[in-house]
DNA sequence: AATTGTGAATTGATTCACAGCT
DNA sequence: AGCTGTGAATCAATTCACAATT
């Protein structure tokens, strides 16, 4: 009997980065890449790349390197990224609306199906500038269930973040990308990644003396 | 003679989070907080909070806890956040323009002085919807020097990211918040924090089976 | 000859456990 | 009595070094 191998969160994270690098190699029709070259592109050490991959199996050819297409597909499978993943966005204020207009998610295999906000005025207003449908918060439980949505982007003001997160989880959401600068309490089966833009900037400012 | 104490990057990062929590306590006129309570709000263990603070000195009172205002000021000093920090933004495409409209940075002690883009059309277009002045890329070296800007937010397309980063560094920028999904090569004295929205989402999708 | 895959060694971060103040 | 500050212990991640493979 073997112990359930514990894969570090950071390895998973780097897998996404490797895949992006592989995508670029593929665009340039490069078929083979060594751990050294790929690691360089991803900003890590070659041994780390190899260790990360080792959690999932053996994909390289000794003496040769990795097949770009094969490795990209494998990582895509691991990350569950080989099929389009539907996402909703909750909170269409400054940042939320900004993320709606930012098209970058679609290219990477995610589709924002709809956005939600608690304010009818904002729903009406944002609706005029976005192709993505925007609805009232009250509608998201039904929407999530009907469309089998598992991922949500949360960009509501701090005082509402926890209650909205709880409602999302109740409606069946399993993963939240949280832009609200606060710690969310969620059940263990729900995964939260936080992006805190102000903290990123603030953290940088330490390093400039 | 003592060795230069090496402070983990992660501790610095958490310092920013602690400070945000302290700000909220201050707003609620709470004067004292224990490591346990503050750690809970920040989503870490109390011992970790204490270890993080220990890198910079002793700020608590045994038996009592920390003085909220004092600790906030101290962390603010450490992070260099007690004075307004000027920032420029380079790249006013989808995401760049979005970040411009997002006001969240100002509240946290950062001021986006100006934005820059390489396309004259975009400069003209974004100028109509933003109060922040937007100029051509070619003008940033002079602007950086004149205004003593040390931090830049980079949101240009991947093919330009490296060359723009290099130019920013040459002009005197010391810290870059990089939204372009690529690894930047910069001299050791320059600090880069990367925010890769697609990677964050992709990483989440691993955890939903 | 080149390059992967991996156990062992190392380095780093977190947590424990308790001494030291107030 | 309560809570911080910190050396020691543990746990986790990274890197080394080299055997295995093409």
């Amino acid at each position: 009997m073997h112990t359930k191998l514990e894969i570090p969160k950071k390895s998973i994270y780097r897998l996404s980065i490797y895949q992006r690098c592989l995508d670029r190699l593929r665009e340039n029709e490069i078929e083979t890449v060594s751990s050294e070259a790929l690691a360089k592109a991803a900003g890590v050490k070659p041994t780390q790349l190899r260790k990360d991959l080792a959690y999932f199996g053996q994909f390289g050819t000794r003496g040769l390197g990795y097949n770009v297409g094969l490795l990209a597909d494998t990582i895509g499978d691991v990350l569950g990224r080989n099929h389009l993943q539907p996402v909703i966005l909750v909170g269409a204020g400054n940042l939320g609306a900004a993320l709606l207009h930012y098209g970058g998610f679609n290219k990477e295999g995610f589709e924002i199906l709809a956005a939600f906000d608690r304010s009818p005025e904002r729903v009406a207003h944002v609706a005029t500038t976005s192709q993505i449908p925007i609805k009232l918060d009250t509608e998201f439980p039904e929407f999530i269930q009907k469309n089998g949505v598992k991922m949500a982007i949360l960009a509501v003001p701090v005082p509402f973040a926890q209650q909205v997160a709880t409602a999302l989880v109740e409606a069946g959401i399993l993963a939240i990308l949280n832009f609200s600068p606060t710690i969310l309490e969620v059940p263990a089966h729900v995964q939260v990644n936080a992006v805190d833009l102000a903290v990123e900037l603030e953290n940088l400012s330490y390093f400039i003396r």
Side-chain angles (χ1 to χ4, degrees), chain A:
Chain A
M1 199 218 99
H2 77 114
T3 334
K4 194 176 84 187
L5 189 53
E6 201 44 76
I7 298 161
K9 259 201 83 165
K10 280 182 152 187
S11 292
I12 305 291
Y13 190 89
R14 284 189 297 260
L15 245 40
S16 297
I17 297 172
Y18 302 151
Q19 209 194 31
R20 152 117 17 90
C21 297
L22 289 165
D23 284 347
R24 284 198 203 131
L25 292 172
R26 196 144 54 165
E27 278 161 29
N28 291 42
E29 306 193 11
I30 290 159
E31 285 178 9
T32 293
V33 68
S34 68
S35 62
E36 189 177 335
L38 182 53
K40 175 123 192 267
V44 303
K45 294 243 159 68
T47 47
Q48 180 157 72
L49 163 58
R50 299 206 298 271
K51 257 274 146 67
D52 285 339
L53 297 179
Y55 287 112
F56 303 97
Q58 304 186 176
F59 313 109
T61 312
R62 292 173 197 223
L64 234 166
Y66 300 91
N67 178 293
V68 171
L70 184 68
L71 187 56
D73 286 351
T74 309
I75 296 181
D77 279 345
V78 169
L79 294 174
R81 210 206 94 169
N82 283 344
H83 51 278
L84 202 70
Q85 182 72 248
V87 181
I88 61 165
L89 185 146
V90 185
N94 279 323
L95 184 56
L99 293 170
L100 260 189
H101 292 116
Y102 167 60
F105 295 126
N106 294 56
K107 261 179 289 173
E108 306 282 342
F110 299 96
E111 187 188 4
I112 300 183
L113 288 189
F116 297 86
D117 199 283
R118 61 197 300 274
S119 144
E121 291 79 35
R122 196 138 57 196
V123 168
H125 176 254
V126 176
T128 62
T129 61
S130 165
Q131 295 97 316
I132 297 168
I134 169 154
K135 304 159 189 285
L136 276 172
D137 267 13
T138 48
E139 299 180 46
F140 73 60
E142 198 191 332
F143 189 93
I144 288 166
Q145 266 139 43
K146 262 205 184 119
N147 295 276
V149 180
K150 290 178 188 146
M151 300 179 64
I153 300 173
L154 184 61
V156 304
V158 169
F160 305 111
Q162 182 61 58
Q163 73 190 61
V164 172
T166 304
L168 285 168
V169 169
E170 247 164 52
I173 287 294
L174 296 175
I176 297 174
L177 183 53
N178 178 30
F179 285 88
S180 308
T182 190
I183 303 297
L184 299 178
E185 304 210 358
V186 296
H189 71 276
V190 178
Q191 187 70 18
V192 177
N193 275 12
V195 176
D196 190 324
L197 301 179
V199 166
E200 293 294 338
L201 261 189
E202 197 165 299
N203 173 59
L204 273 180
S205 80
Y206 169 78
F207 293 97
I208 59 174
R209 305 211 88 274

